[in-house]
Amino acid sequence: MAFTQDILINWTPQETRVAIIEGGAVQELHVERTLERGLVGNIYCGKVARVLPGMQSAFIDIGLERAAFLHVADLHSEDHGNRGGRASDQPLPIERRLHEGQTLMVQVIKDPIGTKGARLSSQISVAGRMLVYLPQDDHIGISQKIGSPEQREQLRTRMQTLTQEASAADGRPAGGYILRTNAEDASDDDLRADIAYLRKTWSIIREQGLKSAPGSLLYQELNLAQRVLRDLVGDNTQSIRIDSQIQYEDLLTFGQEYTPSAMGKLALYRGERPIFDLYNIDQEIERGLARRVDLKSGGYLIIDQTEALTTIDVNTGGYVGARNFDDTIFKTNLEAAQAIARQLRLRNLGGIIIIDFIDMTREEHRDNVLSELRKQLARDRTKITLNGFSALGLVEMTRKRTRESLAHMLCQPCPTCEGRGQVKTARTVCYDILREIMREARQFNPREFRVVASAAVVEMLLDEESQHLAGLSDFIGKPISLQAEPSMSPEQYDIVLL
């Protein structure tokens, strides 16, 4: 059964937040900050900064802080590519297709993540309401979610006729198109209007590209609120509520032109309570940043996100509700499968994901848990590949990553532990201090050593470690005084020579 969804948009001048509600629970969160807008879909006039033949890739300067990355697989075939333009020919290596200083029109396909720059493609696409325009290609693609083969072939035939009409009208090449899911029931007039809009947009981009300097932005993707109407609204959407009068009017103007079918669902929220309080969304955001996720049964998940991959560990916790241990494990894993699918969307976790379900002895239990996970993941708009249980009993999967996760967007590494997730104990810091005083005493001859450290460390040196401190003072023949500094973190200390 398909869940109906409600979309809530919370707008402030500095930030737009979108929550997608399905079955009364938050399933997805999208955040866009005015000063940190995502780059995916933006088109730039780039300049080749460096070609790396060994990696078959190049770094492209598009005016950002870090150079962006372009792999040979993302180069369009006409960019000094195949001889004669035949796809069957062996493509030329990147060093024969690009050279330093060359200008190139490129599009961002992945935002900068962590220390990595943006990922680029020279295969340009411009998204409309029902179509994606591929100005450098000539094929017609159909979304896999659109019905029967017969219907897909019908749509393809209609599109070929419409694109030839458009090409004959303005004398420019027809180009290629991909029909999005919401083109399934579109009329010829709807498709014709989208084609005209996309061709006009591309014409402006191309003209800008001919006269702009390298590093210039030629086209910026729609803002988050506009993308909601274009990409996220479907037949199962019941309502779209936004809490800003100005943005509501802007969305009305935009929607009447590009998504008229969604206009009956758009409403201005006038309630006294903040719009996100309707479903306790701010609390859900806090839970979405936590390492531990509690399940209703008493079990829980532990989610650890690293640069290489994300691991999810399932634990029974206090759940003892089933008749026997096997059933307890099975029911916990089933509930975990549902929770994991939601957490992936809520936290926008991407890349490699390893799930460690509780070990199940029965094959049918493993099959049922995997089937439930597949069923829940089918609601995800993001591309996912899911493998079965490995020899170690782990489930391996990937989820396409195109933007920062919720945690990376809203948080930064802890300055105290520097991202390790733990700090040294007070006793460990005490012993570091004692060793450092010994080292300093061999090189210098001060009147006194003063230790400045956190209150917990100073307290331990005065109490449990006082004997060792006194023994060291006798050994070096110098007094050692202590000073607590509240602003210091547990690992910080300073040794002052007086």
Side-chain angles (χ1 to χ4, degrees):
M1 183 186 81
F3 278 99
T4 56
Q5 69 176 21
D6 294 282
I7 299 176
L8 306 182
I9 305 175
N10 167 229
W11 185 88
T12 58
Q14 68 274 10
E15 185 179 61
T16 303
R17 302 188 300 170
V18 174
I20 296 178
I21 315 297
E22 292 177 9
V26 186
Q27 299 294 329
E28 290 182 37
L29 286 164
H30 300 263
V31 180
E32 181 176 84
R33 290 173 172 170
T34 307
L35 298 178
E36 301 173 0
R37 273 189 68 175
L39 306 176
V40 171
N42 287 3
I43 299 172
Y44 293 85
C45 180
K47 181 178 180 180
V48 180
R50 192 175 167 203
V51 179
L52 305 172
M55 294 175 61
Q56 281 299 289
S57 58
F59 285 111
I60 313 292
D61 180 8
I62 57 172
L64 303 179
E65 184 180 347
R66 289 192 297 272
F69 180 82
L70 174 67
H71 190 265
V72 68
D74 296 316
L75 263 176
H76 189 260
S77 59
E78 291 183 6
D79 294 325
H80 307 290
N82 303 333
R83 290 185 182 85
R86 295 194 302 275
S88 58
D89 288 345
Q90 184 68 28
L92 292 174
I94 196 165
E95 63 269 26
R96 295 183 61 186
R97 300 171 70 175
L98 298 180
H99 58 83
E100 289 187 18
Q102 177 181 343
T103 56
L104 187 70
M105 187 182 292
V106 288
Q107 185 167 33
V108 177
I109 56 175
K110 279 190 181 180
D111 278 329
I113 295 176
T115 58
K116 299 175 183 175
R119 179 147 184 183
L120 305 176
S121 173
S122 70
Q123 305 175 55
I124 306 298
S125 65
V126 185
R129 181 165 65 95
M130 290 167 288
L131 306 170
V132 177
Y133 183 39
L134 309 170
Q136 303 147 308
D137 293 312
D138 57 9
H139 75 277
I140 306 294
I142 313 282
S143 165
Q144 293 180 349
K145 294 184 179 179
I146 291 180
S148 63
E150 294 79 13
Q151 186 182 10
R152 293 159 67 85
E153 196 52 45
Q154 256 184 5
L155 277 169
R156 185 174 280 106
T157 304
R158 286 170 58 198
M159 275 300 297
Q160 286 168 344
T161 303
L162 292 171
T163 55
Q164 286 163 8
E165 275 181 20
S167 179
D170 61 18
R172 289 187 280 117
Y177 292 86
I178 297 171
L179 279 81
R180 300 163 70 112
T181 310
N182 55 359
E184 186 171 7
D185 301 316
S187 68
D188 281 359
D189 285 343
D190 290 336
L191 294 173
R192 201 176 276 119
D194 222 23
I195 290 170
Y197 161 73
L198 291 169
R199 290 175 71 83
K200 181 180 178 183
T201 302
W202 170 243
S203 177
I204 293 169
I205 293 169
R206 195 176 53 177
E207 286 174 16
Q208 285 286 104
L210 293 174
K211 60 187 181 184
S212 298
S216 302
L217 174 65
L218 306 179
Y219 170 79
Q220 187 170 34
E221 178 58 292
L222 302 177
N223 65 42
L224 177 56
Q226 292 167 333
R227 293 200 307 275
V228 166
L229 294 187
R230 188 189 71 187
D231 299 339
L232 304 183
V233 177
D235 293 338
N236 62 333
T237 305
Q238 289 189 133
S239 67
I240 312 152
R241 285 176 279 179
I242 184 167
D243 59 1
S244 162
Q245 176 78 44
I246 295 172
Q247 292 303 308
Y248 170 71
E249 291 169 3
D250 285 348
L251 280 186
L252 269 181
T253 304
F254 173 83
Q256 283 163 357
E257 184 171 358
Y258 297 114
T259 60
S261 60
M263 287 301 90
K265 302 172 182 179
L266 182 64
L268 175 64
Y269 176 73
R270 301 178 183 274
E272 291 183 7
R273 295 169 62 200
I275 190 168
F276 268 24
D277 282 6
L278 297 181
Y279 291 91
N280 297 318
I281 293 168
D282 286 316
Q283 288 91 322
E284 287 291 343
I285 292 173
E286 289 300 317
R287 284 196 280 267
L289 299 173
R291 183 170 177 253
R292 174 171 168 149
V293 178
D294 290 316
L295 305 177
K296 289 180 181 177
S297 64
Y300 61 93
L301 311 176
I302 296 293
I303 301 176
D304 285 314
Q305 190 179 350
T306 68
E307 191 165 339
L309 51 81
T310 298
T311 61
I312 303 176
D313 185 30
V314 183
N315 299 280
T316 55
Y319 181 48
V320 290
R323 288 167 296 176
N324 58 56
F325 190 56
D326 280 355
D327 283 350
T328 298
I329 289 172
F330 175 54
K331 290 189 185 314
T332 303
N333 282 338
L334 272 182
E335 188 185 2
Q338 298 166 7
I340 287 167
R342 176 173 177 253
Q343 289 298 322
L344 295 182
R345 294 173 68 189
L346 187 66
R347 297 167 186 246
N348 192 34
L349 297 173
I352 300 169
I353 297 160
I354 306 294
I355 305 170
D356 185 10
F357 286 107
I358 307 164
D359 288 340
M360 292 170 282
T361 55
R362 293 164 61 177
E363 188 70 30
E364 64 184 278
H365 283 176
R366 284 199 292 272
D367 291 344
N368 287 339
V369 167
L370 204 59
S371 175
E372 180 64 23
L373 183 60
R374 278 205 175 91
K375 174 185 165 187
Q376 296 296 329
L377 291 173
R379 294 161 56 191
D380 200 326
R381 272 181 285 268
T382 304
K383 183 181 177 183
I384 286 174
T385 58
L386 176 65
N387 299 325
F389 283 89
S390 70
L392 295 176
L394 305 173
V395 173
E396 300 168 2
M397 62 173 287
T398 62
R399 186 173 185 269
K400 188 176 180 183
R401 176 165 50 194
T402 57
R403 57 192 173 94
E404 295 272 24
S405 69
L406 185 69
H408 282 160
M409 176 171 282
L410 302 183
C411 304
Q412 65 180 17
C414 168
T416 299
C417 71
E418 297 177 344
R420 298 197 312 271
Q422 53 193 10
V423 294
K424 291 178 179 179
T425 65
R427 195 179 306 279
T428 301
V429 177
C430 286
Y431 294 167
D432 287 344
I433 289 170
L434 297 179
R435 280 191 294 272
E436 185 62 27
I437 291 174
M438 178 68 81
R439 188 179 296 114
E440 297 278 345
R442 289 195 179 103
Q443 299 179 56
F444 305 103
N445 186 29
R447 177 173 49 83
E448 177 188 333
F449 290 91
R450 176 167 296 166
V451 176
V452 183
S454 67
V457 170
V458 168
E459 186 178 343
M460 181 159 281
L461 285 169
L462 286 171
D463 185 11
E464 297 176 35
E465 297 298 331
S466 59
Q467 188 176 349
H468 292 140
L469 186 67
L472 177 61
S473 179
D474 288 343
F475 180 76
I476 62 175
K478 303 288 181 182
I480 302 173
S481 60
L482 303 173
Q483 178 182 326
E485 179 52 64
S487 64
M488 281 189 163
S489 71
E491 293 188 1
Q492 280 183 308
Y493 64 86
D494 195 11
I495 297 172
V496 183
L497 307 182
L498 300 175

